[in-house]
């Protein structure tokens, strides 16, 4: 594919977009990778270019201008986008990529929107050769690649896939940006006005095309997990990550098995303290969902939460981290269960997310991938390549324990 650029970063003026620009400048600034920044406001883009001391070209395109988006994606092999909420601003860009055969990666966690994009553009993306990969940040790379990594190990060692994988968030420190809050609120608003969206969000196999397996609704209460000797509460991103992992199984030709089951939770501890912590997580997430479903409460929350463009401080990003443990259950012999830990060296939602997204874009631009055009998950399109790239370049490690 001959294009003017390898990568265009669209949304370079936003909170996460700026972190991606900083990472690209630091790691790929002087190399042979050609990249550019794009946004809806050239003078804001100039400010970002000056801030990070880069001299890459600047391009203007508004989400509401399909012609400008078509011209933008025709210039590049890969477009990396942080322009969200994606359901509000992302559809025309995906359409343009599918039409022009441009590879694409993003940070969306909006399951109903991904569902719509897959069903609308899958055929065209297959024909044009565009590899479209959603969820290339904290949701859902640690989950998706963590399972891919463990299943590969289980297959190589015991010649069988694990029948179940459990993901347990063990420790993390980080914050929220205004863009993420805006996306979450927008999803609530859309679900309220359209009951079909609510059904899609609740469907454990919302992103699968044909396959449906044994998993039911996400855990929203606490429970005791013997595999971790700990109480477990709900995990805030489970409703996104579990759908992505289940889609990966289908896209990998059921490499994880027909009856494969996957769930996510947050580890608290053993004993009474752990029980109370896990129960509080369950109650907290139910209360938060109920509050955010009410329009006046949503408006009130938006008044004191970060606004679009705002987010955690540099210090919070640098001091942040995450640690997740996963166990893959052998189908018949628990002594053959396999465990792994996934760690990140920056705050999950922004510092580590920006690095994972940037490496996904570089991978789509430069690596020798075996898959053709279509809507892929991170693991199904780039599993082996990202397992190579992320530990050394992005500080996200996958280790057997
Ligand atoms: N999955 C994850 O792990 C993860 C982590 C972080 C963020 N996210 C998601 O990433 C998205 C961005 O978050 P953020 O905090 O970086 O948001 P943000 O700071 O609000 O940035 C949004 C970007 O979109 C641009 N934009 C808005 N309207 C546009 C339009 N009509 N045309 C072109 N560009 C437009 C903004 O441009 P201006 O600067 O000109 O306003 C800005 O560059 C959100 O959807 C968030 O949920 C996901």
């Amino acid at each position: 594919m001959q294009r003017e650029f390898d990568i265009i970063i669209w949304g370079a003026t936003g909170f996460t977009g700026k972190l991606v620009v900083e990472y690209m400048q630091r790691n790929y600034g002087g190399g042979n990778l050609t990249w550019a920044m794009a946004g809806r406001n050239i003078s804001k883009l100039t400010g970002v270019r000056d801030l990070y001391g880069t001299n890459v070209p600047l391009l203007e395109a508004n989400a509401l201008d399909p012609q400008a988006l078509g011209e933008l994606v025709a210039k590049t092999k890969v477009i990396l986008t942080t322009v969200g909420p994606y359901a509000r601003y992302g559809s025309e860009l995906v359409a343009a990529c599918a039409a022009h055969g441009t590879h694409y990666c993003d940070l969306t966690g909006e399951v109903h929107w991904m569902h719509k994009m897959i069903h609308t553009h899958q055929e065209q993306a297959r024909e044009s050769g565009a590899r479209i990969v959603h969820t290339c940040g904290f949701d859902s790379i640690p989950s998706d690649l963590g399972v891919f990594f463990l299943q590969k190990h289980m297959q190589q060692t015991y010649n069988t896939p694990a029948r179940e994988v459990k993901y347990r968030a063990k420790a993390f420190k980080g914050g929220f940006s205004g863009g993420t809050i805006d996306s979450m609120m927008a999803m609530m608003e859309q679900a309220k006005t359209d009951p079909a969206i609510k059904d899609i969000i609740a469907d454990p196999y919302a992103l699968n095309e044909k396959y449906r397996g044994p998993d039911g609704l996400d855990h929203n209460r606490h429970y005791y997990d013997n595999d971790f000797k700990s109480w477990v509460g709900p995990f805030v991103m489970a409703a996104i990550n579990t759908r992505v992992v289940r889609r990966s199984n289908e896209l990998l030709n059921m490499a994880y098995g027909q009856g494969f089951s996957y769930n996510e939770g947050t580890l608290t501890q053993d004993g009474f303290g752990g029980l109370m912590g896990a129960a509080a997580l369950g109650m907290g997430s139910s209360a938060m969902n109920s509050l955010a479903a009410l329009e006046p409460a949503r408006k009130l929350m938006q008044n004191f939460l970060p606004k679009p463009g705002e987010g955690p401080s540099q210090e919070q990003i640098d001091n942040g981290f995450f640690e997740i443990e996963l166990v893959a259950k052998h189908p018949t012999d628990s002594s053959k269960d396999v465990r792994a830990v996934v760690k990140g060296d920056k705050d999950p939602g922004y510092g580590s997310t920006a690095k994972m997204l940037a490496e996904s874009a570089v991978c789509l631009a430069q690596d020798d991938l075996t898959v053709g055009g279509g809507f892929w998950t991170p693991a199904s399109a780039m599993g082996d390549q990202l397992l190579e790239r992320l530990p050394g370049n992005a500080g996200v490690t996958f280790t057997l324990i």
Side-chain angles (χ1 to χ4, degrees), residues 10-18 38-41 44-45 61-65 69 81-89 106-110 135-140 176-184 237 240 307-311 348-350 353-354 356-357:
W10 190 52
T13 54
F15 188 80
T16 319
K18 282 194 244 176
R40 61 176 164 177
N41 182 326
K44 238 177 144 178
L45 282 168
N62 194 304
L64 311 173
D65 183 349
L69 292 176
T81 167
T82 59
V83 176
Y86 291 88
R88 193 186 296 153
Y89 298 127
D106 74 16
L107 290 180
T108 187
E110 295 154 73
T135 62
C136 294
F138 183 59
D139 10 315
S140 301
F176 280 103
S177 75
T180 296
I181 287 158
D182 197 20
S183 298
M184 285 160 66
M237 300 301 181
I240 304 162
K307 309 276 175 295
E310 299 173 356
Y350 301 95
T353 282
M356 290 187 268
L357 179 62

Side-chain angles (χ1 to χ4, degrees), residues 176-241:
F176 280 103
S177 75
T180 296
I181 287 158
D182 197 20
S183 298
M184 285 160 66
M185 297 294 177
M187 200 156 85
M188 296 274 187
E189 265 155 40
Q190 288 152 19
K192 214 176 149 223
T193 52
D194 183 350
I197 291 183
K198 220 172 165 181
D199 293 345
I200 293 169
I201 293 171
D203 179 359
Y205 292 89
L207 298 180
N208 284 57
E209 288 170 49
K210 289 197 189 95
Y211 171 73
R212 302 190 69 83
D215 288 322
L217 296 178
D218 301 309
H219 290 291
N220 61 5
R221 295 198 55 206
H222 63 283
Y223 53 96
Y224 191 79
D225 188 341
N226 254 322
D227 285 316
F228 290 86
K229 298 279 174 279
S230 171
W231 289 95
V232 175
F235 179 60
V236 63
M237 300 301 181
I240 304 162
N241 297 335

Side-chain angles (χ1 to χ4, degrees), residues 143-152 252 256 379 383-384 387:
S143 311
D144 201 25
L145 285 197
V147 175
F148 179 82
F149 173 73
L150 272 179
Q151 286 287 26
K152 226 178 131 166
L252 291 164
Y256 306 163
D384 288 323
L387 285 176

